[in-house]
Amino acid sequence: AAGADVFVEKPLATTVADAQRVVAAAKQYGRKLVIGYILRHHPSWVRLIEEARKLGGPYVFRMNLNQQSSGPTWETHKALMQTTSPIVDCGVHYLDVMLQITDATPVQVRGMGVRLSDEIDAKMYNYG
């Protein structure tokens, strides 16, 4: 209702009825609604964080992602990039990993996107 697009992590809501209200509001106001998924509670993810903490304290994380592929996978990635960028799709998860490993508050977060394909919208990027 405030005119903002919304990014929310799973669960979208605690009941089906509440989730349907969130989706209906996004449609009613013509806003984007992106539901993310962070594997915080998956056993392999929990183990990864435990092992990473043993390595010592990182001070800088650099995340690099390149949404390039081929064949049917590229078609899937192009479809994803019609609505959301790789930094939104994946970058939030990378940031979350850093937060879990360090138990720290970020001092600064920056992102940069570059369009490396003519097959995607001129306003979209596939490298971050």
Side-chain angles (χ1 to χ4, degrees):
D5 295 321
V6 174
F7 178 90
V8 63
E9 286 297 331
K10 289 180 183 176
L12 174 59
T14 55
T15 68
V16 172
D18 285 345
Q20 290 171 333
R21 280 194 288 278
V22 173
V23 171
K27 289 179 179 178
Q28 176 184 351
Y29 295 104
R31 305 312 310 172
K32 290 182 183 178
L33 174 63
V34 178
I35 298 103
Y37 177 50
I38 292 179
L39 297 170
R40 281 183 169 259
H41 306 289
H42 190 281
S44 63
W45 201 255
V46 171
R47 174 75 185 272
L48 169 74
I49 300 306
E50 289 172 0
E51 295 299 323
R53 287 179 174 177
K54 295 176 187 176
L55 297 174
Y59 298 99
V60 176
F61 270 68
R62 182 174 188 272
M63 301 169 284
N64 185 359
L65 55 98
N66 192 352
Q67 193 71 292
Q68 290 189 2
S69 51
S70 61
T73 304
W74 176 234
E75 295 305 317
T76 300
H77 288 154
K78 284 192 300 186
L80 285 169
M81 288 184 284
Q82 290 176 11
T83 58
T84 190
S85 73
I87 288 179
V88 172
D89 185 36
C90 302
V92 295
H93 303 291
Y94 300 161
L95 180 61
D96 187 61
V97 168
M98 183 275 298
L99 295 174
Q100 289 178 69
I101 292 170
T102 63
D103 282 325
T105 302
V107 174
Q108 190 175 76
V109 177
R110 294 177 182 225
M112 179 179 78
V114 181
R115 183 172 167 260
L116 298 178
S117 173
D118 292 332
E119 295 183 52
I120 59 176
D121 187 274
K123 294 179 182 177
M124 182 53 71
Y125 54 88
N126 61 316
Y127 180 84

